[in-house]
């Protein structure tokens, strides 16, 4: 990959990576650090990565940098622990988008990550599996469980629609 | 029962030989799972592993089920079907099944629609503010020519001013003011590019001054660097008879400097006639790092050497490498100027 292509990857994907990490980790400074680290790693390997694989490489690197960070700093359990589902978003005027964002923060990290990769980036189960080191079936299960959990968290659909 | 603790030995042999059908293989595997002592005995004797056997014949894939295998939707699996529908995992047949269920159970329509809205859209307003820090400098061939051209042009300009001054009076106010005025031009040029011509992991290269004679017996002052990949030739025809040839030398046969200084990069200043216009002969990626003011200094030294004036340019930089001061010096003349910068520049 040329320097120009590397720079194109910064312009094209830095915002998207940042958004993905920020949604996962919910800490602006940490998210910025993770993106910075990701691109440093990417730059070191830029002559070994083709432009066509760059997006996937960046998301994989950012995801694993985030997981490393969470393990070290936040001491989080990253297995598919069940969310404590207590239906009911506390808002006087519940709004679906607000409720969803709130619910997203409540589900397990792995479910959150795979759903965001699916919705934000439109990745297939297989591609998400490559990024997160999961099998295609596991990805599918996490997405299903995640969406079910989100639905239960946001509560009564009649109030929201 | 197909296999038990009394008959397993012969069946296991058939199993290892691949003589069993799929259902018999499953029966053997279940038997081994249920009798770990026998499984351990078999594995230790044969070195066989269940995993290897799976890959050679029986496939777990055959046990997998899809939504097409479900004939009926109920309250228990309705939400799973909803998710599968919006994930586009359902076949036409399963979609029909779901639609019929929703039609016959209209109270579930809201839930069905809700799943369609459990999606997250990327917010384009969320932007990574430090993008600029991630970008790496790219120097295009055309721009690189300018980078090489400007310092030598600047050096020659200084020299012309110097010479003009020498005919009059170096210390005269008029000459000094003119020089300051030209320095301002230089400063405005250099500010935009931080003085970096190109970069390399190895850092800036030292250049050595030497002299030679060209094809027309003109004097050539050659400043060598190394790791050359380009050759560019610039003629400043308006300032005759001094011409500047700036290039990185590939050692190619058609390159005059290539023949003489193969594999060396040079910035050369010649005194002689040259009718060519500005000409770019070749441009490839150039990876060496040369500081802008370093090139000016070297060019000026070249002119000084040719004219036996011992011209020298000294620059002073701050911690960030930005230019703070500039001093032009010969044995007879010295001009010094310090640059005022805003702290935020």
């Amino acid at each position: 990959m040329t320097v120009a292509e590397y720079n194109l990857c910064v312009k094209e994907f830095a915002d998207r990576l940042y958004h993905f990490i920020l949604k996962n980790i919910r800490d602006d400074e940490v998210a910025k650090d993770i993106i910075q680290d990701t691109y440093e790693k990417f730059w070191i390997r830029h002559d070994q990565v083709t432009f066509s694989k760059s997006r996937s490489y960046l998301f994989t690197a950012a995801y694993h940098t985030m997981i490393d960070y969470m393990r070290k700093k936040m001491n989080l359990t990253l297995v598919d622990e069940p969310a404590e589902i207590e239906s009911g978003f506390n808002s006087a005027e519940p709004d679906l988008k607000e409720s969803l964002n709130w619910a997203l923060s409540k589900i397990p990290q792995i479910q959150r990550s795979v759903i965001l990769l699916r919705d934000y980036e439109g990745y297939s189960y297989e591609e998400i599996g490559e990024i997160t080191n999961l099998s295609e079936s596991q990805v599918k299960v996490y997405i299903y469980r995640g969406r079910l959990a989100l639905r239960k968290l946001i509560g009564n659909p009649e109030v929201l629609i | 029962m197909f296999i038990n603790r009394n008959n397993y030995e012969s069946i296991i042999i058939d199993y290892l030989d691949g003589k069993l059908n799929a259902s018999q293989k499953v029966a053997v595997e279940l038997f081994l799972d249920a009798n770990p002592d026998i499984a351990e005995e078999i594995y230790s004797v044969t070195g066989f592993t269940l995993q290897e056997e799976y890959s050679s014949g029986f496939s777990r894939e055959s046990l997998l089920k899809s939504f097409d295998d479900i004939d009926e939707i109920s309250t228990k699996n309705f939400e799973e079907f909803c998710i599968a529908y919006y994930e586009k995992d359902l076949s036409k047949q399963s979609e029909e099944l779901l639609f019929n269920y929703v039609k016959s159970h209209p109270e579930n329509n809201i839930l069905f629609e809700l799943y369609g809205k459990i999606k997250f859209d990327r917010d384009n307003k969320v932007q990574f503010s430090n993008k600029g820090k991630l970008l790496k400098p790219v120097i295009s061939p055309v721009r690189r020519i300018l980078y090489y051209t400007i310092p030598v042009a600047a050096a020659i300009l200084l020299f012309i001013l110097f010479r003009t001054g020498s005919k009059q009076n170096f210390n005269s106010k008029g000459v000094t003011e003119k020089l300051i005025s030209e320095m301002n031009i230089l400063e405005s040029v250099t500010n935009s590019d931080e003085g970096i011509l190109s970069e390399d992991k190895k850092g800036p290269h030292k250049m050595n001054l030497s002299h030679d004679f060209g094809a027309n017996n003109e004097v050539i002052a050659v400043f060598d660097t190394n790791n050359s990949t380009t050759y560019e030739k610039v003629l400043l025809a308006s300032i005759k008879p001094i011409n500047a040839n700036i290039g990185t030398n590939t050692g190619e046969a058609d390159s005059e400097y290539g023949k003489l200084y193969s594999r060396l990069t040079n910035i050369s200043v010649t005194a002689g006639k040259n009718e060519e216009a500005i000409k770019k002969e070749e441009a490839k990626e150039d990876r060496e790092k040369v500081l802008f003011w370093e090139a000016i200094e070297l060019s000026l030294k070249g002119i000084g050497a040719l004219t036996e004036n011992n011209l020298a340019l000294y620059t002073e930089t701050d911690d960030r490498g930005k230019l703070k001061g500039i001093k032009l010096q010969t044995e007879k003349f010295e001009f010094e100027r310090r640059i005022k910068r805003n702290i935020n520049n």
Side-chain angles (χ1 to χ4, degrees), chain A residues 8-36:
Chain A
L8 189 59
C9 289
V10 172
K11 289 170 188 166
E12 285 286 312
F13 304 132
D15 292 339
R16 294 158 73 157
L17 284 164
Y18 170 65
H19 195 194
F20 170 65
I21 298 296
L22 185 63
K23 270 285 184 190
N24 269 285
I25 214 155
R26 298 186 299 282
D27 184 321
D28 183 52
E29 286 306 311
V30 174
K32 281 177 181 165
D33 285 348
I34 288 171
I35 301 307
Q36 196 84 35

PDB file of all heavy atoms in Angstrom, chain A residues 8-36:
ATOM      1  N   LEU A   8      -5.585   7.735   2.445  1.00  0.00           N
ATOM      2  CA  LEU A   8      -6.985   7.553   2.061  1.00  0.00           C
ATOM      3  C   LEU A   8      -7.709   6.710   3.116  1.00  0.00           C
ATOM      4  O   LEU A   8      -8.866   6.981   3.452  1.00  0.00           O
ATOM      5  CB  LEU A   8      -7.058   6.872   0.682  1.00  0.00           C
ATOM      6  CG  LEU A   8      -8.432   6.807   0.027  1.00  0.00           C
ATOM      7  CD1 LEU A   8      -9.018   8.200  -0.177  1.00  0.00           C
ATOM      8  CD2 LEU A   8      -8.342   6.090  -1.313  1.00  0.00           C
ATOM      9  N   CYS A   9      -7.011   5.734   3.646  1.00  0.00           N
ATOM     10  CA  CYS A   9      -7.593   4.891   4.706  1.00  0.00           C
ATOM     11  C   CYS A   9      -7.871   5.713   5.969  1.00  0.00           C
ATOM     12  O   CYS A   9      -8.816   5.428   6.699  1.00  0.00           O
ATOM     13  CB  CYS A   9      -6.658   3.724   5.049  1.00  0.00           C
ATOM     14  SG  CYS A   9      -6.577   2.492   3.774  1.00  0.00           S
ATOM     15  N   VAL A  10      -7.022   6.689   6.213  1.00  0.00           N
ATOM     16  CA  VAL A  10      -7.266   7.574   7.366  1.00  0.00           C
ATOM     17  C   VAL A  10      -8.538   8.370   7.112  1.00  0.00           C
ATOM     18  O   VAL A  10      -9.438   8.441   7.961  1.00  0.00           O
ATOM     19  CB  VAL A  10      -6.071   8.534   7.583  1.00  0.00           C
ATOM     20  CG1 VAL A  10      -6.409   9.575   8.649  1.00  0.00           C
ATOM     21  CG2 VAL A  10      -4.823   7.754   7.969  1.00  0.00           C
ATOM     22  N   LYS A  11      -8.619   8.958   5.913  1.00  0.00           N
ATOM     23  CA  LYS A  11      -9.771   9.816   5.607  1.00  0.00           C
ATOM     24  C   LYS A  11     -11.075   9.022   5.536  1.00  0.00           C
ATOM     25  O   LYS A  11     -12.119   9.496   5.953  1.00  0.00           O
ATOM     26  CB  LYS A  11      -9.529  10.549   4.282  1.00  0.00           C
ATOM     27  CG  LYS A  11      -8.449  11.618   4.403  1.00  0.00           C
ATOM     28  CD  LYS A  11      -8.060  12.156   3.045  1.00  0.00           C
ATOM     29  CE  LYS A  11      -6.854  13.082   3.175  1.00  0.00           C
ATOM     30  NZ  LYS A  11      -6.240  13.370   1.882  1.00  0.00           N
ATOM     31  N   GLU A  12     -10.989   7.818   5.010  1.00  0.00           N
ATOM     32  CA  GLU A  12     -12.198   7.014   4.800  1.00  0.00           C
ATOM     33  C   GLU A  12     -12.678   6.320   6.078  1.00  0.00           C
ATOM     34  O   GLU A  12     -13.876   6.230   6.312  1.00  0.00           O
ATOM     35  CB  GLU A  12     -11.921   5.931   3.750  1.00  0.00           C
ATOM     36  CG  GLU A  12     -11.870   6.448   2.334  1.00  0.00           C
ATOM     37  CD  GLU A  12     -13.252   6.784   1.797  1.00  0.00           C
ATOM     38  OE1 GLU A  12     -14.149   5.955   1.957  1.00  0.00           O
ATOM     39  OE2 GLU A  12     -13.425   7.882   1.261  1.00  0.00           O
ATOM     40  N   PHE A  13     -11.744   5.819   6.871  1.00  0.00           N
ATOM     41  CA  PHE A  13     -12.154   4.895   7.931  1.00  0.00           C
ATOM     42  C   PHE A  13     -11.946   5.403   9.356  1.00  0.00           C
ATOM     43  O   PHE A  13     -12.481   4.798  10.287  1.00  0.00           O
ATOM     44  CB  PHE A  13     -11.410   3.561   7.777  1.00  0.00           C
ATOM     45  CG  PHE A  13     -11.590   2.923   6.427  1.00  0.00           C
ATOM     46  CD1 PHE A  13     -10.504   2.452   5.707  1.00  0.00           C
ATOM     47  CD2 PHE A  13     -12.845   2.829   5.853  1.00  0.00           C
ATOM     48  CE1 PHE A  13     -10.663   1.879   4.456  1.00  0.00           C
ATOM     49  CE2 PHE A  13     -13.022   2.258   4.603  1.00  0.00           C
ATOM     50  CZ  PHE A  13     -11.935   1.793   3.901  1.00  0.00           C
ATOM     51  N   ALA A  14     -11.174   6.470   9.542  1.00  0.00           N
ATOM     52  CA  ALA A  14     -10.882   6.910  10.921  1.00  0.00           C
ATOM     53  C   ALA A  14     -12.161   7.271  11.667  1.00  0.00           C
ATOM     54  O   ALA A  14     -12.344   6.883  12.834  1.00  0.00           O
ATOM     55  CB  ALA A  14      -9.911   8.084  10.910  1.00  0.00           C
ATOM     56  N   ASP A  15     -13.076   7.984  11.000  1.00  0.00           N
ATOM     57  CA  ASP A  15     -14.328   8.374  11.662  1.00  0.00           C
ATOM     58  C   ASP A  15     -15.164   7.147  12.014  1.00  0.00           C
ATOM     59  O   ASP A  15     -15.749   7.060  13.101  1.00  0.00           O
ATOM     60  CB  ASP A  15     -15.152   9.289  10.749  1.00  0.00           C
ATOM     61  CG  ASP A  15     -14.498  10.641  10.559  1.00  0.00           C
ATOM     62  OD1 ASP A  15     -13.659  11.011  11.400  1.00  0.00           O
ATOM     63  OD2 ASP A  15     -14.816  11.321   9.565  1.00  0.00           O
ATOM     64  N   ARG A  16     -15.200   6.211  11.077  1.00  0.00           N
ATOM     65  CA  ARG A  16     -16.034   5.024  11.272  1.00  0.00           C
ATOM     66  C   ARG A  16     -15.482   4.151  12.401  1.00  0.00           C
ATOM     67  O   ARG A  16     -16.238   3.633  13.233  1.00  0.00           O
ATOM     68  CB  ARG A  16     -16.103   4.227   9.967  1.00  0.00           C
ATOM     69  CG  ARG A  16     -16.822   5.014   8.898  1.00  0.00           C
ATOM     70  CD  ARG A  16     -16.478   4.561   7.514  1.00  0.00           C
ATOM     71  NE  ARG A  16     -17.079   3.295   7.187  1.00  0.00           N
ATOM     72  CZ  ARG A  16     -17.321   2.874   5.955  1.00  0.00           C
ATOM     73  NH1 ARG A  16     -17.005   3.658   4.925  1.00  0.00           N
ATOM     74  NH2 ARG A  16     -17.861   1.715   5.724  1.00  0.00           N
ATOM     75  N   LEU A  17     -14.163   4.010  12.414  1.00  0.00           N
ATOM     76  CA  LEU A  17     -13.532   3.232  13.493  1.00  0.00           C
ATOM     77  C   LEU A  17     -13.769   3.896  14.845  1.00  0.00           C
ATOM     78  O   LEU A  17     -14.088   3.231  15.833  1.00  0.00           O
ATOM     79  CB  LEU A  17     -12.024   3.139  13.246  1.00  0.00           C
ATOM     80  CG  LEU A  17     -11.558   2.173  12.165  1.00  0.00           C
ATOM     81  CD1 LEU A  17     -10.119   2.474  11.780  1.00  0.00           C
ATOM     82  CD2 LEU A  17     -11.661   0.739  12.652  1.00  0.00           C
ATOM     83  N   TYR A  18     -13.612   5.199  14.842  1.00  0.00           N
ATOM     84  CA  TYR A  18     -13.775   5.961  16.083  1.00  0.00           C
ATOM     85  C   TYR A  18     -15.211   5.800  16.607  1.00  0.00           C
ATOM     86  O   TYR A  18     -15.433   5.570  17.798  1.00  0.00           O
ATOM     87  CB  TYR A  18     -13.445   7.419  15.801  1.00  0.00           C
ATOM     88  CG  TYR A  18     -13.786   8.363  16.909  1.00  0.00           C
ATOM     89  CD1 TYR A  18     -13.147   8.294  18.146  1.00  0.00           C
ATOM     90  CD2 TYR A  18     -14.761   9.356  16.729  1.00  0.00           C
ATOM     91  CE1 TYR A  18     -13.470   9.167  19.165  1.00  0.00           C
ATOM     92  CE2 TYR A  18     -15.087  10.229  17.731  1.00  0.00           C
ATOM     93  CZ  TYR A  18     -14.446  10.134  18.950  1.00  0.00           C
ATOM     94  OH  TYR A  18     -14.776  10.996  19.956  1.00  0.00           O
ATOM     95  N   HIS A  19     -16.176   5.905  15.706  1.00  0.00           N
ATOM     96  CA  HIS A  19     -17.572   5.769  16.090  1.00  0.00           C
ATOM     97  C   HIS A  19     -17.838   4.377  16.672  1.00  0.00           C
ATOM     98  O   HIS A  19     -18.499   4.231  17.705  1.00  0.00           O
ATOM     99  CB  HIS A  19     -18.456   6.008  14.861  1.00  0.00           C
ATOM    100  CG  HIS A  19     -19.896   6.252  15.197  1.00  0.00           C
ATOM    101  ND1 HIS A  19     -20.882   6.213  14.263  1.00  0.00           N
ATOM    102  CD2 HIS A  19     -20.511   6.524  16.370  1.00  0.00           C
ATOM    103  CE1 HIS A  19     -22.046   6.443  14.847  1.00  0.00           C
ATOM    104  NE2 HIS A  19     -21.846   6.644  16.116  1.00  0.00           N
ATOM    105  N   PHE A  20     -17.305   3.379  16.000  1.00  0.00           N
ATOM    106  CA  PHE A  20     -17.479   1.990  16.452  1.00  0.00           C
ATOM    107  C   PHE A  20     -16.872   1.783  17.841  1.00  0.00           C
ATOM    108  O   PHE A  20     -17.503   1.220  18.742  1.00  0.00           O
ATOM    109  CB  PHE A  20     -16.829   1.042  15.428  1.00  0.00           C
ATOM    110  CG  PHE A  20     -16.722  -0.379  15.883  1.00  0.00           C
ATOM    111  CD1 PHE A  20     -17.851  -1.148  16.114  1.00  0.00           C
ATOM    112  CD2 PHE A  20     -15.480  -0.973  16.086  1.00  0.00           C
ATOM    113  CE1 PHE A  20     -17.751  -2.471  16.546  1.00  0.00           C
ATOM    114  CE2 PHE A  20     -15.374  -2.286  16.510  1.00  0.00           C
ATOM    115  CZ  PHE A  20     -16.509  -3.035  16.748  1.00  0.00           C
ATOM    116  N   ILE A  21     -15.656   2.256  18.021  1.00  0.00           N
ATOM    117  CA  ILE A  21     -14.978   2.065  19.313  1.00  0.00           C
ATOM    118  C   ILE A  21     -15.660   2.896  20.402  1.00  0.00           C
ATOM    119  O   ILE A  21     -15.866   2.421  21.526  1.00  0.00           O
ATOM    120  CB  ILE A  21     -13.475   2.439  19.208  1.00  0.00           C
ATOM    121  CG1 ILE A  21     -12.767   1.521  18.202  1.00  0.00           C
ATOM    122  CG2 ILE A  21     -12.791   2.381  20.564  1.00  0.00           C
ATOM    123  CD1 ILE A  21     -12.721   0.054  18.581  1.00  0.00           C
ATOM    124  N   LEU A  22     -16.017   4.122  20.049  1.00  0.00           N
ATOM    125  CA  LEU A  22     -16.672   4.998  21.034  1.00  0.00           C
ATOM    126  C   LEU A  22     -17.978   4.385  21.526  1.00  0.00           C
ATOM    127  O   LEU A  22     -18.289   4.421  22.722  1.00  0.00           O
ATOM    128  CB  LEU A  22     -16.925   6.370  20.396  1.00  0.00           C
ATOM    129  CG  LEU A  22     -17.491   7.453  21.308  1.00  0.00           C
ATOM    130  CD1 LEU A  22     -16.517   7.783  22.432  1.00  0.00           C
ATOM    131  CD2 LEU A  22     -17.806   8.718  20.519  1.00  0.00           C
ATOM    132  N   LYS A  23     -18.737   3.815  20.624  1.00  0.00           N
ATOM    133  CA  LYS A  23     -20.011   3.181  21.003  1.00  0.00           C
ATOM    134  C   LYS A  23     -19.778   1.993  21.924  1.00  0.00           C
ATOM    135  O   LYS A  23     -20.579   1.717  22.808  1.00  0.00           O
ATOM    136  CB  LYS A  23     -20.728   2.693  19.745  1.00  0.00           C
ATOM    137  CG  LYS A  23     -21.660   3.714  19.136  1.00  0.00           C
ATOM    138  CD  LYS A  23     -22.928   3.835  19.958  1.00  0.00           C
ATOM    139  CE  LYS A  23     -23.916   4.787  19.305  1.00  0.00           C
ATOM    140  NZ  LYS A  23     -25.027   5.093  20.202  1.00  0.00           N
ATOM    141  N   ASN A  24     -18.689   1.312  21.699  1.00  0.00           N
ATOM    142  CA  ASN A  24     -18.374   0.143  22.506  1.00  0.00           C
ATOM    143  C   ASN A  24     -17.868   0.523  23.879  1.00  0.00           C
ATOM    144  O   ASN A  24     -18.237  -0.069  24.880  1.00  0.00           O
ATOM    145  CB  ASN A  24     -17.310  -0.708  21.806  1.00  0.00           C
ATOM    146  CG  ASN A  24     -17.928  -1.760  20.919  1.00  0.00           C
ATOM    147  OD1 ASN A  24     -18.447  -2.765  21.399  1.00  0.00           O
ATOM    148  ND2 ASN A  24     -17.910  -1.520  19.619  1.00  0.00           N
ATOM    149  N   ILE A  25     -16.996   1.510  23.891  1.00  0.00           N
ATOM    150  CA  ILE A  25     -16.236   1.762  25.113  1.00  0.00           C
ATOM    151  C   ILE A  25     -16.750   2.969  25.900  1.00  0.00           C
ATOM    152  O   ILE A  25     -16.485   3.114  27.077  1.00  0.00           O
ATOM    153  CB  ILE A  25     -14.738   1.896  24.752  1.00  0.00           C
ATOM    154  CG1 ILE A  25     -13.870   1.333  25.853  1.00  0.00           C
ATOM    155  CG2 ILE A  25     -14.335   3.312  24.401  1.00  0.00           C
ATOM    156  CD1 ILE A  25     -12.523   0.884  25.367  1.00  0.00           C
ATOM    157  N   ARG A  26     -17.458   3.846  25.185  1.00  0.00           N
ATOM    158  CA  ARG A  26     -18.111   5.011  25.790  1.00  0.00           C
ATOM    159  C   ARG A  26     -17.153   5.922  26.562  1.00  0.00           C
ATOM    160  O   ARG A  26     -17.478   6.446  27.623  1.00  0.00           O
ATOM    161  CB  ARG A  26     -19.275   4.555  26.691  1.00  0.00           C
ATOM    162  CG  ARG A  26     -20.367   3.818  25.943  1.00  0.00           C
ATOM    163  CD  ARG A  26     -21.549   3.522  26.810  1.00  0.00           C
ATOM    164  NE  ARG A  26     -21.241   2.679  27.940  1.00  0.00           N
ATOM    165  CZ  ARG A  26     -21.086   1.361  27.878  1.00  0.00           C
ATOM    166  NH1 ARG A  26     -21.195   0.742  26.711  1.00  0.00           N
ATOM    167  NH2 ARG A  26     -20.805   0.656  28.950  1.00  0.00           N
ATOM    168  N   ASP A  27     -15.951   6.049  26.052  1.00  0.00           N
ATOM    169  CA  ASP A  27     -14.976   6.970  26.647  1.00  0.00           C
ATOM    170  C   ASP A  27     -14.212   7.614  25.495  1.00  0.00           C
ATOM    171  O   ASP A  27     -13.441   6.950  24.797  1.00  0.00           O
ATOM    172  CB  ASP A  27     -14.027   6.197  27.570  1.00  0.00           C
ATOM    173  CG  ASP A  27     -13.037   7.109  28.291  1.00  0.00           C
ATOM    174  OD1 ASP A  27     -12.545   8.067  27.647  1.00  0.00           O
ATOM    175  OD2 ASP A  27     -12.760   6.875  29.471  1.00  0.00           O
ATOM    176  N   ASP A  28     -14.452   8.909  25.334  1.00  0.00           N
ATOM    177  CA  ASP A  28     -13.912   9.627  24.172  1.00  0.00           C
ATOM    178  C   ASP A  28     -12.388   9.550  24.095  1.00  0.00           C
ATOM    179  O   ASP A  28     -11.814   9.254  23.046  1.00  0.00           O
ATOM    180  CB  ASP A  28     -14.378  11.083  24.242  1.00  0.00           C
ATOM    181  CG  ASP A  28     -13.919  11.872  23.033  1.00  0.00           C
ATOM    182  OD1 ASP A  28     -14.156  11.413  21.910  1.00  0.00           O
ATOM    183  OD2 ASP A  28     -13.292  12.937  23.219  1.00  0.00           O
ATOM    184  N   GLU A  29     -11.725   9.815  25.226  1.00  0.00           N
ATOM    185  CA  GLU A  29     -10.255   9.848  25.213  1.00  0.00           C
ATOM    186  C   GLU A  29      -9.670   8.466  24.914  1.00  0.00           C
ATOM    187  O   GLU A  29      -8.716   8.328  24.154  1.00  0.00           O
ATOM    188  CB  GLU A  29      -9.719  10.367  26.563  1.00  0.00           C
ATOM    189  CG  GLU A  29      -9.899  11.858  26.759  1.00  0.00           C
ATOM    190  CD  GLU A  29      -9.302  12.681  25.616  1.00  0.00           C
ATOM    191  OE1 GLU A  29      -8.149  12.438  25.241  1.00  0.00           O
ATOM    192  OE2 GLU A  29     -10.024  13.550  25.085  1.00  0.00           O
ATOM    193  N   VAL A  30     -10.266   7.458  25.545  1.00  0.00           N
ATOM    194  CA  VAL A  30      -9.786   6.091  25.316  1.00  0.00           C
ATOM    195  C   VAL A  30     -10.008   5.697  23.865  1.00  0.00           C
ATOM    196  O   VAL A  30      -9.137   5.097  23.214  1.00  0.00           O
ATOM    197  CB  VAL A  30     -10.484   5.096  26.275  1.00  0.00           C
ATOM    198  CG1 VAL A  30     -10.100   3.666  25.933  1.00  0.00           C
ATOM    199  CG2 VAL A  30     -10.113   5.393  27.717  1.00  0.00           C
ATOM    200  N   ALA A  31     -11.176   6.049  23.339  1.00  0.00           N
ATOM    201  CA  ALA A  31     -11.481   5.722  21.935  1.00  0.00           C
ATOM    202  C   ALA A  31     -10.453   6.370  21.005  1.00  0.00           C
ATOM    203  O   ALA A  31      -9.955   5.731  20.066  1.00  0.00           O
ATOM    204  CB  ALA A  31     -12.887   6.185  21.582  1.00  0.00           C
ATOM    205  N   LYS A  32     -10.108   7.608  21.298  1.00  0.00           N
ATOM    206  CA  LYS A  32      -9.106   8.299  20.460  1.00  0.00           C
ATOM    207  C   LYS A  32      -7.751   7.599  20.553  1.00  0.00           C
ATOM    208  O   LYS A  32      -7.058   7.441  19.548  1.00  0.00           O
ATOM    209  CB  LYS A  32      -8.978   9.762  20.894  1.00  0.00           C
ATOM    210  CG  LYS A  32     -10.095  10.629  20.353  1.00  0.00           C
ATOM    211  CD  LYS A  32      -9.967  12.051  20.856  1.00  0.00           C
ATOM    212  CE  LYS A  32     -11.119  12.868  20.315  1.00  0.00           C
ATOM    213  NZ  LYS A  32     -11.287  14.143  21.014  1.00  0.00           N
ATOM    214  N   ASP A  33      -7.382   7.222  21.771  1.00  0.00           N
ATOM    215  CA  ASP A  33      -6.100   6.515  21.946  1.00  0.00           C
ATOM    216  C   ASP A  33      -6.088   5.206  21.162  1.00  0.00           C
ATOM    217  O   ASP A  33      -5.080   4.836  20.551  1.00  0.00           O
ATOM    218  CB  ASP A  33      -5.849   6.212  23.431  1.00  0.00           C
ATOM    219  CG  ASP A  33      -5.438   7.455  24.197  1.00  0.00           C
ATOM    220  OD1 ASP A  33      -5.133   8.472  23.538  1.00  0.00           O
ATOM    221  OD2 ASP A  33      -5.442   7.410  25.439  1.00  0.00           O
ATOM    222  N   ILE A  34      -7.211   4.511  21.200  1.00  0.00           N
ATOM    223  CA  ILE A  34      -7.288   3.223  20.496  1.00  0.00           C
ATOM    224  C   ILE A  34      -7.144   3.431  18.980  1.00  0.00           C
ATOM    225  O   ILE A  34      -6.439   2.678  18.305  1.00  0.00           O
ATOM    226  CB  ILE A  34      -8.608   2.497  20.849  1.00  0.00           C
ATOM    227  CG1 ILE A  34      -8.526   1.984  22.297  1.00  0.00           C
ATOM    228  CG2 ILE A  34      -8.894   1.344  19.879  1.00  0.00           C
ATOM    229  CD1 ILE A  34      -9.816   1.449  22.857  1.00  0.00           C
ATOM    230  N   ILE A  35      -7.782   4.467  18.470  1.00  0.00           N
ATOM    231  CA  ILE A  35      -7.671   4.738  17.024  1.00  0.00           C
ATOM    232  C   ILE A  35      -6.233   5.113  16.672  1.00  0.00           C
ATOM    233  O   ILE A  35      -5.671   4.675  15.670  1.00  0.00           O
ATOM    234  CB  ILE A  35      -8.655   5.857  16.595  1.00  0.00           C
ATOM    235  CG1 ILE A  35     -10.090   5.455  16.919  1.00  0.00           C
ATOM    236  CG2 ILE A  35      -8.501   6.190  15.111  1.00  0.00           C
ATOM    237  CD1 ILE A  35     -10.523   4.114  16.372  1.00  0.00           C
ATOM    238  N   GLN A  36      -5.639   5.917  17.549  1.00  0.00           N
ATOM    239  CA  GLN A  36      -4.235   6.309  17.334  1.00  0.00           C
ATOM    240  C   GLN A  36      -3.332   5.064  17.291  1.00  0.00           C
ATOM    241  O   GLN A  36      -2.519   4.907  16.379  1.00  0.00           O
ATOM    242  CB  GLN A  36      -3.802   7.230  18.495  1.00  0.00           C
ATOM    243  CG  GLN A  36      -2.538   8.011  18.241  1.00  0.00           C
ATOM    244  CD  GLN A  36      -2.799   9.277  17.458  1.00  0.00           C
ATOM    245  OE1 GLN A  36      -3.838   9.908  17.623  1.00  0.00           O
ATOM    246  NE2 GLN A  36      -1.885   9.640  16.571  1.00  0.00           N
TER     247      GLN A  36
END
